[in-house]
Amino acid sequence: MIIKKAQKTDVKALVKLENETFSDANFPLSRESFYYHIKRNLLLVVYDDKFELLGYALALIHRKKAKLYSLCIQKSYRGSGIAKKLMEQLFYSLNQLNFKIIILEVRQDNYGAINFYKKLGFKQLAISLSFYKDGSNALIMERKIVN
Ligand SMILES: CC(C)(COP(=O)(O)OP(=O)(O)OC[C@H]1O[C@@H](n2cnc3c(N)ncnc32)[C@H](O)[C@@H]1OP(=O)(O)O)[C@@H](O)C(=O)NCCC(=O)NCCS
């Protein structure tokens, strides 16, 4: 497995994975958005040994607290510890950039992701009512970069 900072050459595979994972209601990131985040934020990608894209993690870094903006692992590869490894690398990179805290928002009904974040040490801070366009609430969670 290879984890690295995303480059322009990763965008095609990122868009494919994004559209396979997130429906329109979940506002999948566009090609242009990925190009923007590669330039401006911290976007890590994970590949297998055959250079197939397995997932990505995107953190916004132009703020006091880093913010996990999106995280996605290809469906057939979930449950084997890939997201955990990717997030550990993200925490390492954020620590290098001097961030102390990372926050995130997650749909209140995304039980799998919430469980995943709790296992990584994120704590619930608040609930943001009707955060999403379909009226769903979001949990706001936070973790120290170095636990
Ligand atoms: C959430 C997601 C990133 C997890 O990726 P993953 O590679 O399957 O996660 P891991 O295998 O690294 O799991 C790490 C731990 O979290 C737990 N976990 C992961 N997904 C879980 C789920 N759906 N339900 C319950 N627990 C889960 C695992 O059991 C594991 O626990 P362990 O360390 O005790 O064994 C992945 O399911 C995904 O891409 N989902 C779709 C997109 C999404 O919802 N993104 C997050 C919101 S933006």
Side-chain angles (χ1 to χ4, degrees):
M1 201 188 327
I2 302 148
I3 298 176
K4 65 174 188 93
K5 272 185 83 171
Q7 295 171 298
K8 284 183 186 170
T9 45
D10 298 307
V11 169
K12 197 173 170 198
L14 280 163
V15 171
K16 184 167 175 280
L17 173 63
E18 184 78 357
N19 289 324
E20 283 166 4
T21 308
F22 297 108
S23 66
D24 285 350
N26 286 314
F27 302 104
L29 291 169
S30 65
R31 205 169 142 262
E32 292 69 27
S33 305
F34 278 116
Y35 281 123
Y36 170 82
H37 290 300
I38 285 169
K39 258 200 280 174
R40 296 274 298 161
N41 288 305
L42 181 60
L43 177 58
L44 299 183
V45 284
V46 51
Y47 282 89
D48 70 5
D49 299 341
K50 291 173 190 144
F51 295 103
E52 185 183 354
L53 180 69
L54 304 183
Y56 77 85
L58 169 61
L60 306 185
I61 54 173
H62 293 279
R63 39 179 56 233
K64 196 160 174 241
K65 294 177 181 177
K67 178 171 176 173
L68 184 71
Y69 192 68
S70 191
L71 170 69
C72 164
I73 299 297
Q74 207 188 114
K75 218 171 190 169
S76 49
Y77 290 87
R78 290 180 195 162
S80 48
I82 296 170
K84 192 174 170 200
K85 285 207 181 76
L86 186 57
M87 289 297 288
E88 280 163 0
Q89 181 60 50
L90 190 81
F91 298 148
Y92 177 84
S93 302
L94 289 172
N95 188 35
Q96 300 288 98
L97 293 169
N98 263 327
F99 281 98
K100 306 290 176 221
I101 305 256
I102 179 166
I103 61 164
L104 62 84
E105 287 128 8
V106 56
R107 288 177 76 102
Q108 197 176 13
D109 60 3
N110 193 348
Y111 305 110
I114 292 167
N115 195 51
F116 168 76
Y117 292 132
K118 283 186 177 164
K119 284 200 164 174
L120 277 186
F122 281 89
K123 304 267 184 267
Q124 186 181 323
L125 272 188
I127 296 182
S128 197
L129 297 175
S130 303
F131 181 84
Y132 296 100
K133 278 229 166 111
D134 65 358
S136 301
N137 302 334
L139 298 192
I140 300 170
M141 304 183 86
E142 173 176 291
R143 181 194 192 270
K144 286 188 186 139
I145 298 292
V146 179
N147 255 340

